[in-house]
Amino acid sequence: MIVVTRLNGTRFAVNPDLIERIHESPDTHLVTLDGAAYVVLESLAEVVEMIADYRAYVLSKARDFPAVTGYPLSLVPPAGPDDESGAPAPESPRK
């Protein structure tokens, strides 16, 4: 989240991944994907810099996670001893 300031001086946090566009005319307007618009004191360049800093912070935090060993993440189960495709055998219908 980035913290920005409304024209009345109150501060709030916004998810930068939800910002669709930012424009100055002369006030800075943040428009989110759902159409919400916010007028903030920070300049367009300052908001863009905050977003870049936020994303760099997220990447640095992700690098701090320890490497995980074991089974790889997969949507397909590993192949069984009698099935090379890895798909489970179909069940026979019950009567």
Side-chain angles (χ1 to χ4, degrees):
M1 304 287 272
I2 61 170
V3 178
V4 291
T5 312
R6 290 187 170 97
L7 296 181
N8 67 4
T10 61
R11 295 171 51 84
F12 69 101
V14 63
N15 183 345
D17 295 328
L18 299 180
I19 296 174
E20 180 181 5
R21 64 184 179 273
I22 306 166
H23 57 92
E24 289 181 317
S25 62
D27 295 325
T28 306
H29 297 254
L30 308 180
V31 181
T32 60
L33 293 173
D34 65 357
Y38 303 100
V39 181
V40 298
L41 287 175
E42 292 80 9
S43 69
L44 184 143
E46 289 172 318
V47 175
V48 169
E49 184 66 26
M50 281 190 248
I51 292 170
D53 290 345
Y54 167 76
R55 291 194 174 141
Y57 170 77
V58 169
L59 289 174
S60 72
K61 284 301 200 184
R63 267 195 305 261
D64 292 342
F65 281 111
V68 177
T69 59
Y71 295 105
L73 181 62
S74 175
L75 296 176
V76 180
D82 56 347
D83 183 14
E84 293 181 18
S85 70
E91 294 183 21
S92 58
R94 296 185 181 183
K95 293 183 181 183

